[in-house]
Amino acid sequence: MLKDAKRIVVKAGTSTLTYGTGKMNVRRMRRLAEVLSDLQNSGVQTAFVTSGAIGIGSVKLGFEERPCDTPGRQAAASVGQCELMFMYDKLFGEYDSVVGQLLITRSDIENGERRRNLINSFEKLFEYGVIPIINENDSVAVEEIVYGDNDNLSAHVAKLIKADALIILSDIDGLFTANPAEDENAVLIPVVECIDEEILAAAGPSCSSFGTGGMSTKISAAKLAVESGIDTVVMNGANPEDIYKLLDGGQVGTLFKSRGPKKGSF
Ligand code: GLU
């Protein structure tokens, strides 16, 4: 289904980008930078949604977990975002790719004029051959105005730039019939035609100490994307090279099939 994708959004969560200690998984980030740079070189326009700012900033500030208060998270994100972009600039640079940072708040997408400005910025970056790296602007956004999780943010970005596909990298192989950590009979669901009650129930809740989200936010992101005509895949981010297989038309993770023609955000 994703064989002809010419514009994609790839989202990586904190658990894909960091170790359990919260420190950066540099080897994983390097492999991801290599794959995304190569895709861009092959003519697939790629936008990358990164998480990890709050987690990585928290570690750098010596915290044992994410701060519970908003100003604490804002400060951690401010520190962590610098760290992330420093590393991405270096890693993507090794593959001769140019990256640009876009920090977005919900109002940038909801407000008509700001949304158009944002779209212009994305289009120009693509025209210049730049790989946009996106995160929520956690340092200025407060509770009432945040998406809060980058799964949903990535679906909004995919819609905004009329992407052909959204690829959500996770620490699990895809959507299972039940939580595979708790149920040995759980099996991977390769294709979801329709996100119904049964699928929502299979997602269940989950979270980690440095990231947010879990499968339920991935399902709500997939729902938004597929309803906008964008095929969405949730797959394991442990092997970023699997993205090649996916874009060669292979079966990887769980594919949520798009419904109807592509609709942008204008
Ligand atoms: N924007 C958050 C960060 O960079 C991540 C949100 C999420 O984990 O989905 O820390």
Side-chain angles (χ1 to χ4, degrees):
M1 293 273 308
L2 269 55
K3 212 169 178 337
D4 299 320
K6 285 280 162 273
R7 181 176 280 192
I8 62 171
V9 174
V10 176
K11 181 262 170 181
T14 304
S15 58
T16 296
L17 300 170
T18 61
Y19 290 105
T21 55
K23 291 202 172 184
M24 281 194 248
N25 185 333
V26 179
R27 182 162 46 166
R28 177 87 49 76
M29 291 168 91
R30 181 186 299 279
R31 287 164 68 196
L32 204 46
E34 180 180 338
V35 171
L36 301 189
S37 298
D38 195 38
L39 286 177
Q40 181 90 349
N41 288 353
S42 73
V44 180
Q45 290 178 327
T46 306
F48 177 45
V49 177
T50 184
S51 295
I54 300 175
I56 288 164
S58 301
V59 169
K60 196 161 188 190
L61 291 168
F63 306 153
E64 285 192 357
E65 49 187 39
R66 293 160 62 97
C68 297
D69 61 316
T70 301
R73 282 196 298 273
Q74 289 175 314
S78 165
V79 171
Q81 186 64 30
C82 281
E83 196 73 354
L84 273 174
M85 285 316 292
F86 176 70
M87 188 56 82
Y88 288 137
D89 199 39
K90 201 165 128 128
L91 295 176
F92 281 83
E94 280 180 22
Y95 300 101
D96 215 16
S97 294
V98 180
V99 295
Q101 172 180 258
L102 281 170
L103 296 179
I104 298 177
T105 54
R106 198 167 76 181
S107 48
D108 294 320
I109 290 179
E110 287 179 354
N111 175 294
E113 193 181 337
R114 286 163 70 177
R115 182 168 63 242
R116 278 186 296 278
N117 286 334
L118 193 52
I119 292 169
N120 291 343
S121 179
F122 268 113
E123 293 302 334
K124 210 37 130 181
L125 287 168
F126 284 131
E127 191 187 313
Y128 291 158
V130 174
I131 298 177
I133 300 187
I134 302 106
N135 196 354
E136 185 151 27
N137 196 353
D138 300 306
S139 302
V140 301
V142 289
E143 221 109 354
E144 306 77 60
I145 58 157
V146 296
Y147 286 120
D149 71 88
N150 280 7
D151 295 320
N152 278 292
L153 176 67
S154 68
H156 282 282
V157 168
K159 194 173 167 195
L160 205 62
I161 64 172
K162 296 187 175 164
D164 300 311
L166 167 63
I167 300 170
I168 298 179
L169 304 178
S170 179
D171 55 358
I172 186 165
D173 290 346
L175 178 66
F176 285 76
T177 47
N179 185 344
E182 291 165 4
D183 184 345
E184 59 180 30
N185 295 320
V187 288
L188 181 77
I189 304 172
V191 180
V192 173
E193 303 271 353
C194 174
I195 300 175
D196 54 18
E197 290 304 319
E198 205 178 322
I199 294 297
L200 293 173
S206 98
C207 55
S208 66
S209 54
F210 285 110
T212 60
M215 195 48 79
S216 60
T217 56
K218 289 170 184 55
I219 303 294
S220 81
K223 192 164 188 302
L224 175 68
V226 298
E227 282 169 3
S228 308
I230 301 165
D231 290 317
T232 301
V233 172
V234 175
M235 60 180 270
N236 204 319
N239 296 306
E241 298 77 13
D242 285 348
I243 298 175
Y244 291 130
K245 191 171 157 197
L246 188 65
L247 296 180
D248 282 342
Q251 159 61 47
V252 185
T254 301
L255 167 68
F256 296 85
K257 276 194 183 175
S258 62
R259 297 168 75 79
K262 212 173 348 162
K263 298 192 244 357
S265 290
F266 292 94

